[in-house]
Amino acid sequence: MFQKGEYIVYGHQGVCLVEDITRLGISGADKEKLYYVLVPLHVRGSHIYYPVDRETANARKLMTREEAEQLVREIPELPELAVILDKLRENSYKKVLYSGDSRQWMSMVKTLQLRRKDRLIHGKRIASVDDRYLKLVEDVLYGELAFVLEMEREKIQNLVRGRVEETENVWEHA
């Protein structure tokens, strides 16, 4: 069970503060059921009501500083997402986004950044589905990394891009 005052990651909403744990007094809500009252860090004035008994389905504790640093170090070695059919690309992206798994999120960021660069090099447009999901996954992942590492999001973005570029350099020298 998460604690009041704790920061967690909730689905693809990103880092949230557990503001309260309470029963809801609104019509249609089970008066006996406990809910987390979550406040997303990047959406001021917003509240999410999340049932305590579904805690592990869409929410998790923040990664530790050490886990965050390790994830950034591992970017060049992380596998890219395997999307076999272009028709299934968006479904693959959704599955990763909703997984809540920071390693899968980073693999998706890496994949989409490399795909974007490859398409531009070959004079192709960036697929709108790629662009949309890259923004979504970067938003949630960079938000968590920035919070945990106590860095600005822009610095996280530049750090990740640099590590992704190291991936390219490894392949060029192989």
Side-chain angles (χ1 to χ4, degrees), residues 155-167:
K155 287 186 178 184
I156 295 294
Q157 185 174 13
N158 291 336
L159 179 62
V160 170
R161 282 193 180 140
R163 297 296 289 163
V164 169
E165 287 176 14
E166 287 178 32
T167 301

Side-chain angles (χ1 to χ4, degrees), residues 3-119:
Q3 303 300 313
K4 185 176 175 180
E6 183 177 8
Y7 288 93
I8 65 170
V9 174
Y10 175 71
H12 67 281
Q13 299 296 319
V15 177
C16 296
L17 170 67
V18 178
E19 184 176 71
D20 201 1
I21 302 170
T22 188
R23 289 173 173 60
L24 296 181
I26 58 176
S27 65
D30 183 344
K31 306 289 189 233
E32 298 303 312
K33 193 175 224 178
L34 282 175
Y35 287 82
Y36 293 112
V37 179
L38 306 178
V39 179
L41 289 188
H42 70 280
V43 184
R44 298 287 179 219
S46 177
H47 287 80
I48 299 168
Y49 300 95
Y50 181 59
V52 169
D53 62 359
R54 285 197 349 214
E55 161 178 309
T56 57
N58 294 322
R60 65 171 170 79
K61 293 189 175 286
L62 290 172
M63 49 180 134
T64 65
R65 180 177 195 86
E66 293 76 26
E67 291 168 334
E69 289 170 348
Q70 180 67 25
L71 181 61
V72 171
R73 277 193 303 273
E74 290 178 354
I75 291 171
E77 291 81 35
L78 284 176
E80 292 181 46
L81 295 182
V83 179
I84 298 166
L85 297 172
D86 266 352
K87 289 182 180 185
L88 301 177
R89 185 169 297 285
E90 186 168 11
N91 287 339
S92 297
Y93 295 165
K94 279 183 188 178
K95 184 178 178 182
V96 170
L97 185 62
Y98 288 105
S99 74
D101 184 319
S102 55
R103 290 180 62 77
Q104 287 187 41
W105 287 347
M106 189 62 83
S107 285
M108 186 164 141
V109 166
K110 177 180 174 178
T111 300
L112 291 172
Q113 285 183 0
L114 292 173
R115 182 170 157 80
R116 168 186 269 172
K117 185 173 183 179
D118 183 66
R119 290 182 69 84

